Amino acid sequence: MKTYAVAVSLAIASLFSVNAHAADKLRFERLDVSQMPRLRSYLSLTDRDGHVITGKQKEDFRLSIDSAEQGPAFTLQSFDETKEPINVVVVAEVGSAMNSVIEDEKRAISALADALPPKSKIALLGYAGDTKRLTETLTAPADVESAAKQMTIDSDSAETHLLDALSTAMDMLTAAPKTERKLIVVFSDGINIDMDPKIFNSKAHRAADAGIVIDTIGYTDFDQSKLRSLTMLSKTTQGIDRVCKSANEISSHFNDVVDEIKKQYVVTFETVLKGGDGKVRELQALVGTDNPAYSNTLSEKLPKWVVPSRKASGGMPWWAWLLIVLGVAGVAGLVLWLVFRDKPEKVEEEEAPAAPAPAPVAAAPAGPMKTMALNVNVSSGAVAVGWIVATSGKYADQTFKLKPSRTLIGTGADCDVKVEDQFMSSHHCEVRFENGNFKLCDLGSTNGIVVNDKKVREHELVDNDQFRLGRTEFKFKSIT
């Protein structure tokens, strides 16, 4: 009986675990097919409450084309690492229903504007009885921070016109470059003077066709059912709908939008299709293995691309090959003439003193040379220098010398090599000097260490080894 109870408990726990994972939402926002056969995709992963899930590796993502998997991702970055800009329009309700939370609303909008990636642009619209252009166009984030502080409640209006404000926001975003991200963030109680679902659906489809994502943050003290209209807007445009259960959650949900912008996964896949046929394909991304989360499906016409042929890759005509053969024959004849020609007789000269014979040079050791710590004498009496060079991220091209005994690497203030990388642990790993060699050792980090594209717990370093800690890549160098 006891065994049966345990089995039932495990089954229930497993069910809850599966359901929790299934609630994770993978959103396929857009796709760049200009570099076929590589496809650059923009993916957001959130939990059921709209919180962004980070820390995934490229091996976790896969792409499916017409239900045929193409294999794991080729490269992975977060959006803020790409240094790409985003264009945002905030549509904020300023009717009397928001009187009690207007200060929270203003602070949250200012924080959103302040956190945008470099070169991004943002606009702010208020709405109640009419649409209020608090900024005339997309502008610098600092301008929106100032405009947000001037927001006031329109207490004279008895109506709210959300859809009119959405139309204005879409018109603003049409001026942004087509290749850049476009996002509308709506803060509203979901009430509009015209609550016809068909009109909401029409607005949502117009945004989706223009490549605009709509994120909604719903807040109301009254009728929660009115927030369903916001869900329709976000769902149709592959956005995220978030609901504030209290005024205290307004700032946190705006922060979730910031995370969604900056921590979106930019994933490159390499398709196994050969040459393409210009047909419309159904593309879907997935993440995870045991119980993967599937994205929405994008219908995309993949352009044709050329598979290089022998002729296209520069095949030479017959006369060029003939010139090459004649040239080789000429060089061979010249070498033979120099070898077998008659040599002139030697002239007797006074014999000069012989130069001292050069000292013999020791043969180089076979295989990669192990690196020793700086200023550490080994049995041969040689002195060696070991160091690591960052090859990506914020510290690209910076050099860090290794200490003679132990070098601690991580984000902690006490680390010998301190790296600002949100995917690294505070004490991520260390490089130890043992038996005349350097050894890289994991200290129980969350994301581990990857050496030469292989995840390991520890590794004895040799010259030119490449390893990744979090999202930062390093190369191990040495001089003996």
Side-chain angles (χ1 to χ4, degrees):
M1 188 69 175
K2 183 177 180 181
T3 303
Y4 175 76
V6 172
V8 171
S9 300
L10 290 174
I12 293 173
S14 176
L15 178 62
F16 276 104
S17 176
V18 170
N19 287 341
H21 187 80
D24 293 348
K25 181 175 181 180
L26 181 63
R27 176 162 56 86
F28 207 151
E29 183 177 306
R30 61 194 178 104
L31 186 69
D32 180 3
V33 296
S34 62
Q35 302 295 323
M36 291 296 289
R38 291 183 180 172
L39 302 92
R40 184 177 174 90
S41 58
Y42 294 75
L43 304 168
S44 294
L45 182 62
T46 58
D47 62 18
R48 67 176 68 205
D49 295 320
H51 302 312
V52 176
I53 300 173
T54 61
K56 297 295 181 181
Q57 305 296 320
K58 65 181 181 180
E59 296 81 7
D60 297 322
F61 290 92
R62 301 186 301 285
L63 177 70
S64 173
I65 301 180
D66 291 341
S67 300
E69 283 200 18
Q70 305 296 299
F74 185 73
T75 62
L76 180 145
Q77 290 179 292
S78 60
F79 184 79
D80 58 344
E81 289 176 330
T82 68
K83 308 302 182 184
E84 296 180 32
I86 185 172
N87 303 279
V88 181
V89 179
V90 178
V91 177
E93 184 175 350
V94 292
S96 56
M98 297 298 172
N99 188 55
S100 63
V101 297
I102 184 64
E103 294 303 320
D104 300 274
E105 193 176 351
K106 291 158 65 173
R107 284 192 295 269
I109 293 170
S110 295
L112 169 63
D114 182 59
L116 291 181
K119 300 183 181 179
S120 296
K121 293 186 177 181
I122 184 171
L124 177 59
L125 301 177
Y127 81 92
D130 57 3
T131 301
K132 307 173 190 304
R133 285 179 175 255
L134 300 175
T135 61
E136 286 298 321
T137 59
L138 289 167
T139 185
D143 296 334
V144 167
E145 292 182 56
S146 300
K149 296 176 182 177
Q150 307 303 318
M151 289 174 58
T152 56
I153 293 295
D154 184 0
S155 56
D156 296 331
S157 176
E159 300 177 346
T160 53
H161 293 265
L162 169 59
L163 294 183
D164 291 344
L166 279 176
S167 294
T168 303
M170 293 180 202
D171 291 340
M172 284 181 157
L173 288 174
T174 56
K178 292 183 179 180
T179 56
E180 294 180 0
R181 286 179 72 185
K182 302 176 182 66
L183 174 67
I184 296 176
V185 181
V186 176
F187 179 75
S188 169
D189 64 1
I191 298 176
N192 187 72
I193 190 61
D194 189 345
M195 292 300 294
D196 186 348
K198 292 183 179 179
I199 299 179
F200 267 85
N201 196 41
S202 174
K203 294 291 183 183
H205 279 289
R206 179 192 165 192
D209 292 341
I212 299 172
V213 173
I214 300 179
D215 275 7
T216 60
I217 301 175
Y219 174 78
T220 180
D221 285 331
F222 305 105
D223 190 354
Q224 294 283 330
S225 66
K226 301 300 183 184
L227 299 179
R228 294 174 186 168
S229 59
L230 301 180
T231 302
M232 180 188 302
L233 287 171
S234 60
K235 183 177 181 180
T236 305
T237 62
Q238 305 308 324
I240 303 295
D241 65 295
R242 300 175 171 92
V243 177
C244 300
K245 298 175 183 177
S246 67
N248 294 331
E249 293 188 355
I250 293 175
S251 293
S252 65
H253 280 317
F254 269 92
N255 289 335
D256 287 335
V257 174
V258 172
D259 286 342
E260 178 190 343
I261 291 171
K262 301 178 72 173
K263 304 308 175 188
Q264 184 180 60
Y265 292 100
V266 181
V267 186
T268 301
F269 297 98
E270 193 165 63
T271 174
V272 298
L273 298 176
K274 301 298 183 183
D277 52 15
K279 293 182 179 179
V280 175
R281 302 284 188 172
E282 299 294 320
L283 296 98
Q284 189 176 34
L286 55 157
V287 61
T289 53
D290 296 335
N291 184 34
Y294 289 84
S295 75
N296 52 299
T297 300
L298 291 184
S299 296
E300 188 78 23
K301 184 176 181 180
L302 301 184
K304 295 183 179 180
W305 67 93
V306 177
V307 177
S309 63
R310 182 176 179 180
K311 182 176 181 180
S313 60
M316 292 186 294
W318 65 268
W319 52 266
W321 288 109
L322 178 60
L323 289 177
I324 291 174
V325 171
L326 293 175
V328 171
V331 171
L334 178 61
V335 171
L336 291 173
W337 178 77
L338 290 173
V339 171
F340 294 105
R341 65 175 178 166
D342 292 333
K343 297 181 180 179
E345 295 182 1
K346 294 183 179 179
V347 179
E348 294 291 339
E349 294 181 357
E350 185 177 348
E351 195 172 292
V361 179
M369 183 175 291
K370 305 294 177 62
T371 305
M372 294 162 288
L374 177 62
N375 294 332
V376 174
N377 291 324
V378 294
S379 58
S380 64
V383 179
V385 178
W387 70 97
I388 58 175
V389 181
T391 59
S392 70
K394 178 180 179 180
Y395 302 92
D397 299 325
Q398 290 193 33
T399 298
F400 305 93
K401 286 187 177 180
L402 298 176
K403 300 177 72 175
S405 56
R406 173 178 177 268
T407 304
L408 180 60
I409 304 174
T411 61
D414 59 337
C415 290
D416 301 305
V417 179
K418 181 182 177 183
V419 181
E420 294 181 10
D421 185 330
Q422 63 176 339
F423 295 95
M424 288 178 61
S425 301
S426 58
H427 290 176
H428 197 97
C429 66
E430 65 180 10
V431 180
R432 304 170 185 165
F433 180 72
E434 297 179 350
N435 300 322
N437 302 313
F438 279 116
K439 180 183 287 187
L440 181 65
C441 302
D442 190 358
L443 297 179
S445 62
T446 301
N447 294 318
I449 57 179
V450 178
V451 180
N452 299 328
D453 295 325
K454 183 178 179 181
K455 196 167 185 178
V456 299
R457 293 294 301 172
E458 60 180 36
H459 177 79
E460 195 171 282
L461 292 166
V462 297
D463 192 44
N464 285 325
D465 269 347
Q466 298 192 31
F467 59 95
R468 184 173 72 247
L469 309 177
R471 291 290 172 77
T472 306
E473 295 184 348
F474 296 90
K475 178 180 282 190
F476 177 71
K477 295 296 298 177
S478 63
I479 298 177
T480 301

